Amino acid sequence: MKHIKQLMIILTAYFLGVIIQLALNLPIPGTVLGLILLFLALYFKIVKVEMIEDICEVLISCMSFLFVPAGVGLMTSFGMLKGKVMAFSIIIFISTVVVWVVTAYVVKFLRKVC
């Protein structure tokens, strides 16, 4: 029962994000808005970490399983990717470096703020 309550907190943030996105016709996906809402709720102590900690550990432990549908979808698209391996490799490399740099600066900023 505890996990269900914790999951409902996370799903509530998700659904609020989707509702806001649909109501305001925003170009940002509702899932991202839900994550932002959950972050703000955690930051302003509306939701305490202990309230969702256990279900987050469960979800993280299952994360590799959650990527299986995306991997299967990619495998069915190999025909479209043929001949574009180098371009995709460059894109993957550049986007990885950009994510590293942005993450480093966000962590640096949040350490100053918090």
Side-chain angles (χ1 to χ4, degrees):
M1 191 68 172
K2 182 168 99 173
H3 284 114
I4 293 174
K5 288 180 184 177
Q6 293 180 5
L7 186 60
M8 289 309 297
I9 293 170
I10 294 172
L11 290 177
T12 300
Y14 162 73
F15 285 125
L16 285 174
V18 171
I19 290 169
I20 290 170
Q21 190 268 332
L22 291 173
L24 301 177
N25 198 22
L26 297 173
I28 301 170
T31 53
V32 174
L33 289 174
L35 284 173
I36 293 169
L37 289 174
L38 184 59
F39 171 76
L40 291 173
L42 287 165
Y43 182 78
F44 291 113
K45 308 281 191 243
I46 297 167
V47 174
K48 298 193 178 18
V49 174
E50 298 81 28
M51 295 169 69
I52 60 171
E53 189 173 30
D54 294 335
I55 194 65
C56 289
E57 289 179 15
V58 170
L59 291 173
I60 288 173
S61 69
C62 297
M63 191 179 288
S64 60
F65 175 72
L66 298 173
F67 281 103
V68 169
V72 170
L74 184 61
M75 288 172 45
T76 61
S77 303
F78 275 143
M80 292 185 343
L81 301 176
K82 201 175 218 178
K84 300 174 186 168
V85 174
M86 187 55 117
F88 278 110
S89 298
I90 292 169
I91 291 168
I92 289 169
F93 176 76
I94 291 172
S95 63
T96 300
V97 171
V98 169
V99 168
W100 284 345
V101 171
V102 169
T103 301
Y105 279 107
V106 168
V107 168
K108 185 177 179 181
F109 171 76
L110 289 176
R111 284 191 174 177
K112 285 181 186 177
V113 173
C114 296

